[in-house]
């Protein structure tokens, strides 16, 4: 089941200051995925003014075959329920709707 978030809640999650707990995350190759790529994942926590904590993943992926094929994003990890992608950015290696081979945001 997917939770419904208001625009205000989403903006609040996006604006929340975040601290990365593993700033030295290492790249790892993912040869079994198509396309073959490397990735690294950072773990982050955001804390509200009233000390409530929220958890996030920040990821980077890079194709090992195409320098223009990359993505990065931030994912909210609620205490219960499904992870929610707050932002995703992709490289210019493909067409996306009316966007023709330019970096784009999802």
């Amino acid at each position: 089941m997917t939770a419904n978030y208001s625009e205000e809640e989403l903006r609040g999650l996006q604006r929340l200051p975040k601290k990365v707990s593993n700033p030295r995350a290492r790249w790892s190759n993912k040869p079994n995925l198509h396309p073959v790529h490397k990735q690294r994942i950072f773990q982050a926590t955001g804390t509200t003014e009233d000390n409530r904590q929220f958890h996030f993943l920040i990821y980077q992926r890079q194709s090992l075959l195409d320098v223009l094929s990359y993505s990065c994003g931030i994912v909210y990890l609620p205490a219960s329920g499904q992870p929610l992608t707050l932002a995703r950015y992709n490289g210019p290696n493909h067409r996306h709707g009316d966007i023709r081979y330019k970096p784009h945001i999802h």
Side-chain angles (χ1 to χ4, degrees):
M1 183 173 155
T2 303
N4 291 320
Y5 296 93
S6 70
E7 289 295 322
E8 183 178 336
E9 288 172 311
L10 293 173
R11 280 192 299 277
L13 288 169
Q14 288 172 327
R15 286 191 304 255
L16 190 67
K18 297 157 188 76
K19 182 175 181 177
V20 173
S21 61
N22 62 334
R24 294 185 177 149
R26 297 179 188 258
W27 288 99
S28 61
N29 289 343
K30 299 296 179 185
N32 296 332
L33 299 178
H34 182 73
V36 177
H37 68 274
K38 64 181 181 177
Q39 72 177 16
R40 65 180 169 178
I41 299 175
F42 299 95
Q43 299 170 352
T45 302
T47 305
T48 63
E49 291 178 9
D50 62 353
N51 288 325
R52 289 185 298 142
Q53 288 193 335
F54 296 88
H55 300 282
F56 303 87
L57 294 179
I58 301 167
Y59 64 88
Q60 295 176 302
R61 292 188 187 120
Q62 173 66 58
S63 169
L64 298 175
L65 306 174
D66 181 355
V67 70
L68 299 178
S69 178
Y70 58 83
S71 65
C72 62
I74 185 166
V75 178
Y76 168 52
L77 302 172
S80 62
Q82 297 293 316
L84 175 67
T85 299
L86 296 175
R88 188 175 92 206
Y89 307 86
N90 288 106
N93 71 314
H94 64 282
R95 183 177 171 181
H96 183 74
D98 292 337
I99 302 169
R100 295 181 182 266
Y101 303 98
K102 293 183 180 178
H104 52 278
I105 302 170
H106 286 259

